Amino acid sequence: MLERRGRLPQHTYLDYSITNFCAALFIAFTFGEIGKGTPDEPNFLAQLAQDNWPSVLFAMGGGVVLSLGNLASQYAFAFVGLSVTEVITASITVVIGTTLNYFLDDKINKAEILFPGVGCFLVAVFLGSSVHSSNASDNKAKLSNYTSDCKEAAISSSKEVDLVKSKDLERGSSSADNVEAGTAVFLIELEERRAIKVFGKSTMIGLALTFSAGLCFSMFSPAFNLATNDQWQTLKKGVPHLTVYTAFFYFSISCFVIAMILNITFLYRPVLNLPKSSLKAYLADSDGRIWALLAGLLCGFGNGLQFMGGQAAGYAAADAVQALPLVSTFWGVVLFGEYRRSSRRTYILLGSMLFMFIVAVGVLMASSGHRSSSHTAKE
């Protein structure tokens, strides 16, 4: 939303990263300190002093790949759209990450149910790529058929927008909000306002960013699984496994640090032809900051809850949280006007993609098992 209103993604991600880390701190000092700790499951503060660095490194590695995936997906949204980006990245996450978690979790999930679901996710990936390609062709056709009458309408619309520009800024709305979604005028005005310019760029850029994000996302849950359950037996004898809350704390530290380093670098050396910025400009840019801060909180608590569920029912089944594209598609279509006035082919592909995704999520949830015993120190 903020990128479509012209806010630089570097500014948004810096805000997002701050509250994302704050959510991890809150979880660590509340859930991680509830009750009296035991030798096998110490409280958060007690674990900070223990010699558990192999598990800490796994947790921090998971945070690194999550941060990289979030960064790639933020740019992919501009090229591929919210709906397709989320479906493809979530499906890749499940295809790779869930398969790894199945074996790391000692096969506590039902394989005869789990893997057909993984197959459905794989089909959703290919359908998502087809949706993006078809929609790009639709938009290209709209712009190529842009007649002189449409141009006059665009000029008239632009003049009207100039008259109410101050009111639009107060409401946080863009000029593209004032024309019918899906039209050539809408696409042109959106391109003029947004921070990341997409016209004239190859559709492969968006897909490359999306698949890169998916590959990163597929690694963070298995890494966290290794951090909390030590399947590779890297901890010294007698050292308890990291609790979910401690692992999430280290996970979030690395996620925060990588985000800070990369986004501050991108302020001065931007990618994809974005304008240069600075720390001073970032601090002064408060337009929409509350939304970026809220996004960080939501993601932080969402990740924490996913990991708690994974420790209880198996990380493979906990990946059912990847149902998030069903919600993001609703926002993409209703709030951002994605796929409005598209071709029948695009609608059929979009519907097929979502149907396959719904089936896959349902199958994934049905495969859930129960961890027979909590993680304990090695004897």
Side-chain angles (χ1 to χ4, degrees), residues 33-49:
E33 286 292 308
I34 291 177
K36 185 177 180 180
T38 66
D40 290 340
E41 294 190 17
N43 285 340
F44 166 65
L45 291 176
Q47 280 211 305
L48 295 182

Side-chain angles (χ1 to χ4, degrees), residues 129-368:
S129 299
S130 299
V131 170
H132 171 56
S133 178
S134 180
N135 190 59
S137 298
D138 292 344
N139 289 340
K140 185 176 181 180
K142 293 174 189 176
L143 294 172
S144 64
N145 293 331
Y146 190 45
T147 63
S148 59
D149 290 338
C150 290
K151 291 179 182 178
E152 291 176 3
I155 293 172
S156 175
S157 177
S158 297
K159 290 180 179 179
E160 180 181 349
V161 169
D162 289 338
L163 293 175
V164 297
K165 184 176 181 181
S166 61
K167 294 183 179 180
D168 283 343
L169 289 175
E170 290 174 3
R171 296 195 308 266
S173 61
S174 68
S175 60
D177 294 333
N178 300 315
V179 296
E180 186 178 355
T183 63
V185 176
F186 174 86
L187 296 174
I188 291 172
E189 293 192 351
L190 176 60
E191 177 74 3
E192 291 175 352
R193 179 67 184 267
R194 74 185 319 158
I196 302 174
K197 308 301 181 184
V198 300
F199 280 7
K201 293 186 173 66
S202 171
T203 57
M204 293 306 297
I205 294 177
L207 287 177
L209 286 168
T210 303
F211 275 86
S212 297
L215 290 173
C216 289
F217 288 151
S218 69
M219 294 291 107
F220 81 84
S221 182
F224 195 92
N225 194 345
L226 286 166
T228 54
N229 294 299
D230 193 34
Q231 291 91 338
W232 292 351
Q233 299 183 355
T234 57
L235 292 175
K236 294 180 180 179
K237 182 179 179 180
V239 177
H241 296 177
L242 289 184
T243 65
V244 173
Y245 317 110
T246 307
F248 188 45
F249 170 75
Y250 285 114
F251 175 94
S252 299
I253 284 180
S254 62
C255 188
F256 174 76
V257 171
I258 290 296
M260 290 291 112
I261 292 173
L262 291 178
N263 283 283
I264 290 175
T265 300
F266 288 160
L267 289 177
Y268 299 94
R269 296 180 179 274
V271 295
L272 299 173
N273 298 319
L274 268 73
K276 288 186 177 181
S277 185
S278 64
L279 278 174
K280 182 179 179 180
Y282 156 68
L283 294 173
D285 180 16
S286 60
D287 184 23
R289 172 163 285 157
I290 186 65
W291 291 109
L293 296 173
L294 177 61
L297 280 177
L298 290 173
C299 188
F301 284 112
N303 285 335
L305 291 170
Q306 177 185 354
F307 294 143
M308 292 178 205
Q311 192 62 23
Y315 285 91
D319 283 338
V321 73
Q322 301 303 329
L324 62 93
L326 300 178
V327 180
S328 64
T329 296
F330 171 81
W331 288 119
V333 174
V334 174
L335 186 62
F336 302 135
E338 293 181 0
Y339 309 112
R340 299 284 183 87
R341 302 171 67 91
S342 292
S343 65
R344 178 180 295 181
R345 179 175 183 272
T346 298
Y347 287 139
I348 292 174
L349 287 170
L350 179 63
S352 300
M353 177 189 72
L354 292 174
F355 173 76
M356 188 58 65
F357 195 85
I358 291 170
V359 171
V361 170
V363 173
L364 192 68
M365 294 176 68
S367 74
S368 63

